[in-house]
Amino acid sequence: MAQQDTADVDEVFQVETHGIDPIPDAERHGSAKDLFWLWFGSNLTFTYVINGALAVAFGLSFWQAVAVVVISGLSFFAVSAAGLSGIRTGTATLVISRAAFGVRGNFPAGVLNWVVSIGYTIVNTVVGTLALEVFFAEVGLGSGRFARGLALGITLALTFAVAMWGHATVQFAERWMAYLLAAGFGALLVFVLPGAHTSATDPAAAPGLSGWSLAFVVMLAGPFSYLPMPADYTRYLPRTTSLKSITWTGALGGFISSVALGIAGVAAATQTDMTDAVAGAESLLPGWFQPLFLALVLGGSVTNSIITLYSSSLNLQVLGIPWSRARAIVISAAVTALGSLAALFLTDFTTSLLSFLSLLIIVFAPWGGVFLADMLLRRCHYDSDALHAGSAGAYWYRAGYHPAGMAALLAGMAFAALICDSELWTGPLVAPLGGADLTLLGSAVSGLVYWALARGRVPAYAPAAAPAA
């Protein structure tokens, strides 16, 4: 029998056959520059325009809000660095995090991450659907419930098709859509920036600690939500790929797109009412560009939803769904479709969903702190076989839980809960701090606690040399 050719398992427009199983060295391919286009394209989303506008709404001046946007964009260096473990293990981020929390201790975060991934996919799908609905009306294709339903179907189809095909198609789509979206959003900046009111605000109306903290929480929530997925997109890269190049290329991709669009939102908010951000931004554009602008909003929503939906299918495998990645993604797509229907036709659902997602930063900021601290302690060296071995592996610890990881996570969550200011929960320390929301500091607390508890105790692992080609 002829030997089966496995070189096409990660080809564009072919269904990817791998899931969370380690990618063999013989099937690894690509280069670090692929990560630039992945993170650049997936973050060319109108969400950052909204976030930039919110920074102004919280009382910051133009230059203060721009400073928040730029500083927050630097967080993509942490996001990109979190993908380094994918090179060493060839598997997904939420498999690797078993080393920090234990196999069972990793499960609750896996469940919540799937919920967050689907939640953000629903939000992006709704934004894209509404933009496409307005586009239909402006070009004379009708309006109403039928037009909204058709717009939803198109948005879901574009997202699901790419994510279902898998890794290679995701990277291909992100790159080519990035070319188009970058040109379009570049034009948006040309139209919006010249009219920005950059003069300083009245000192009496200074935002205070509350305004600053809320602006940072809004701008950093997006990058922090990516922490459980970077290795999903580095696991195919050859082991010889430079770790430095991986960190820089991925970080620059996310930084450039998020900062450019965030500044566009800041500039727009100094000129018009951005309560309805799409309508507000559209009012600043020439009439001929407005339909193209709506297409940009749709395209950005799709590029962002693609990577979250793809990672959600790997997430389900981590949780034990005994299906292939391509079959598991059907579950995520179905839940996304149902959630989007509810968000589009039950007006209070969207508000409730956004409030719930904002509250989960109490969990994911500390989770990210522990994961990054563990990765630094291990210097990205893991026993790949043990990550998949369950109770027989080195990462089972005590009954499936890593005491240091769980203690650090709980400490970070407790701290974050005390200083969180969201619609569903206000911590007791928010008022004494002048209304400041310092939830994201939970990541620093959990990381430092883990470092103190696990330093010198994290099981050492010396990786075996890779077999010669």
Side-chain angles (χ1 to χ4, degrees), residues 28 65 70 109 128 184 208-209 247 251 256 263 271 298:
R28 297 198 183 196
V70 172
L209 183 58
T247 302
I256 292 171
I263 292 175
Q271 303 171 65
L298 169 64

Side-chain angles (χ1 to χ4, degrees), residues 299-435:
S301 298
V302 170
T303 59
N304 194 260
S305 293
I306 285 171
I307 66 166
T308 53
L309 189 61
Y310 173 79
S311 287
S312 75
S313 64
L314 298 175
N315 197 156
L316 288 174
Q317 287 191 314
V318 174
L319 296 177
I321 299 294
W323 290 359
S324 67
R325 182 208 58 82
R327 290 182 63 193
I329 204 170
V330 175
I331 297 175
S332 296
V335 175
T336 298
L338 291 174
S340 299
L341 284 169
L344 288 165
F345 296 101
L346 300 175
T347 54
D348 59 338
F349 179 84
T350 303
T351 301
S352 300
L353 177 62
L354 288 171
S355 297
F356 175 68
L357 292 175
S358 67
L359 184 63
L360 288 184
I361 197 71
I362 292 177
V363 177
F364 283 102
W367 184 94
V370 175
F371 178 75
L372 292 174
D374 181 75
M375 190 181 73
L376 288 172
L377 285 174
R378 299 177 191 275
R379 291 176 171 79
C380 294
H381 288 139
Y382 301 87
D383 184 338
S384 297
D385 293 333
L387 289 172
H388 298 270
S391 60
Y395 303 124
W396 186 251
Y397 301 111
R398 296 181 185 176
Y401 299 91
H402 187 197
M406 301 307 296
L409 177 63
L410 292 174
M413 289 173 59
F415 179 83
L418 290 173
I419 54 178
C420 174
D421 184 16
S422 71
E423 290 188 18
L424 299 180
W425 169 259
T426 300
L429 296 184
V430 172
L433 291 170

